[in-house]
Amino acid sequence: MHRQFIHSFIFTSFSLCAAMSHAAEPHVHGIAKMLVAIDGNNLEVELVSPLDNLVGFERAPRNDRERKAVQKLMKQLNEPQSLIVPISAAKCTHNKTEIDAPILQSTSKTEHVHGKHDEKHAEMTAAFSFRCADPVALKSIEVRLFDVFPNLQRVQAEVAAPGGQAASSLGRAHRTLSW
Ligand SMILES: [Zn+2]
């Protein structure tokens, strides 16, 4: 299970237009996208967010404070138990997180070499993999990202589950994604 799967799954499950806009749309600060796919015992949650929502800047870290912010973010994403909480009845456990945030890993030198980076904006993709002992009970996920990332205002979520599809706009006051 990896990101490729979730992309193809969503691609076939939602309209072509939605899949295309996911890739091409310029991002808006304060908003993140979440794609949820369930296949057998596997739950995949992909979060695509402007880096500004998560660390407050969208370039390689330039000082110790920023480097620490990036380290903290990586730790939070790799231990997402307080960020993304599948309903307990489904007995899901987190397997791994695949993080794709090239700008955070680049040094100022490589940034210069790869001058094609958008100078103004950068995103991060985090793909969280869970394994659920009772996937039939998997009917909702509580999204607690708003507690951890104050810049994040809204999560536009899409779900592709065996029982159906759902799309929901989550916020501080409405944080449970159900289908
Ligand atoms: Zn931006």
Side-chain angles (χ1 to χ4, degrees):
M1 295 293 294
H2 47 74
R3 282 180 46 216
Q4 201 55 47
F5 167 80
I6 201 167
H7 280 304
S8 57
F9 196 84
I10 295 289
F11 190 81
T12 53
S13 302
F14 293 94
S15 72
L16 180 66
C17 182
M20 295 298 284
S21 68
H22 168 61
E25 224 168 61
H27 73 217
V28 178
H29 291 186
I31 298 178
K33 293 182 181 180
M34 181 177 279
L35 302 175
V36 176
I38 299 157
D39 179 40
N41 292 94
N42 297 310
L43 164 64
E44 294 276 331
V45 179
E46 186 181 84
L47 178 72
V48 182
S49 174
L51 277 169
D52 185 76
N53 293 347
L54 308 174
V55 289
F57 53 88
E58 300 196 334
R59 45 168 175 69
R62 286 179 184 160
N63 54 44
D64 280 347
R65 187 180 58 80
E66 293 182 353
R67 274 185 284 276
K68 277 190 183 128
V70 171
Q71 282 170 9
K72 187 180 172 191
L73 173 65
M74 296 302 164
K75 188 169 168 15
Q76 286 166 327
L77 295 173
N78 280 303
E79 296 169 3
Q81 287 79 357
S82 60
L83 304 179
I84 293 165
V85 186
I87 190 169
S88 61
K91 302 183 179 73
C92 301
T93 51
H94 174 249
N95 280 342
K96 61 169 179 173
T97 306
E98 286 180 19
I99 299 165
D100 182 15
I103 198 87
L104 292 183
Q105 278 121 29
S106 69
T107 65
S108 54
K109 204 174 183 181
T110 58
E111 231 180 329
H112 180 70
V113 171
H114 299 105
K116 286 176 192 166
H117 277 310
D118 186 332
E119 300 274 328
K120 290 175 190 160
H121 294 286
E123 297 189 341
M124 183 217 68
T125 299
F128 306 93
S129 301
F130 296 84
R131 190 155 180 87
C132 304
D134 192 356
V136 175
L138 184 55
K139 293 290 179 191
S140 67
I141 295 172
E142 193 186 333
V143 175
R144 295 185 184 168
L145 295 161
F146 307 103
D147 297 336
V148 178
F149 305 112
N151 287 354
L152 182 63
Q153 300 298 321
R154 193 142 288 279
V155 171
Q156 294 169 339
E158 294 179 350
V159 184
Q165 299 165 7
S168 187
S169 181
L170 305 175
R172 230 161 272 280
H174 171 56
R175 53 177 58 200
T176 301
L177 175 63
S178 46
W179 56 90

